[in-house]
């Protein structure tokens, strides 16, 4: 059984920074691509950033240059450093495991419970 537990969300002013963390249980972490998704009210869940086992990264256009995804395999932990936050970054952020390309875009096998990020303008 794989469990993903996020932390680090909260309320921040526009222009500020937050760092999200996700601790993974089980043995899948180091071998799998991991990612961060987000979902704002009324919107579909979208992939924000993804990092492969080989540490190749990709980002959505909306966060490129502001967010950085990283992983520490020794600690089974995934991070998302978010800088220059904007009000439109407000959403519930989800950690995801085994993120791979599928017929409908990137799909994930495992999900965390989500952490709220609210950016005030």
């Amino acid at each position: 059984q794989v469990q993903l537990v996020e932390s680090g969300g909260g309320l921040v002013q526009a222009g500020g920074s937050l760092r999200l963390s996700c601790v993974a249980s089980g043995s899948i972490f180091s071998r799998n691509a991991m990612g961060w998704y987000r979902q704002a009210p009324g919107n579909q869940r979208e992939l924000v950033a993804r990092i492969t086992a080989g540490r190749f990264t990709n980002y959505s256009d909306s966060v490129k240059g502001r967010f950085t995804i990283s992983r520490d395999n020794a600690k089974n932990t995934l991070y998302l450093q978010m800088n220059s936050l904007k009000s439109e970054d407000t959403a519930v952020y989800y950690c995801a495991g085994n993120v791979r390309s599928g017929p409908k875009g990137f799909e994930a096998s495992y999900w965390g419970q989500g952490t709220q990020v609210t950016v005030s303008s």
Side-chain angles (χ1 to χ4, degrees):
Q1 180 117 8
V2 175
Q3 286 189 321
L4 303 174
V5 180
E6 303 102 333
S7 61
L11 174 64
V12 64
Q13 288 189 333
S17 298
L18 280 176
R19 188 175 82 154
L20 305 183
S21 299
C22 170
V23 178
S25 66
S27 60
I28 62 107
F29 185 82
S30 63
R31 299 194 304 271
N32 280 266
M34 303 292 294
W36 288 98
Y37 286 73
R38 69 185 180 187
Q39 187 168 20
N43 290 358
Q44 289 188 333
R45 191 174 297 189
E46 62 170 346
L47 179 64
V48 172
R50 174 178 174 262
I51 184 168
T52 68
R55 302 180 189 273
F56 175 81
T57 59
N58 55 288
Y59 299 90
S60 68
D61 288 342
S62 61
V63 308
K64 202 171 293 183
R66 300 187 297 121
F67 290 12
T68 302
I69 189 171
S70 61
R71 63 192 299 161
D72 185 337
N73 289 343
K75 296 181 178 179
N76 274 13
T77 302
L78 180 73
Y79 302 100
L80 184 68
Q81 178 66 44
M82 305 185 293
N83 298 329
S84 302
L85 282 161
K86 306 175 182 180
S87 57
E88 51 262 44
D89 295 318
T90 295
V92 178
Y93 284 71
Y94 296 91
C95 175
N98 191 24
V99 180
R100 74 265 180 222
S101 181
K104 298 181 180 180
F106 283 106
E107 302 171 348
S109 300
Y110 311 103
W111 296 94
Q113 82 286 354
T115 185
Q116 177 71 46
V117 171
T118 303
V119 184
S120 63
S121 56

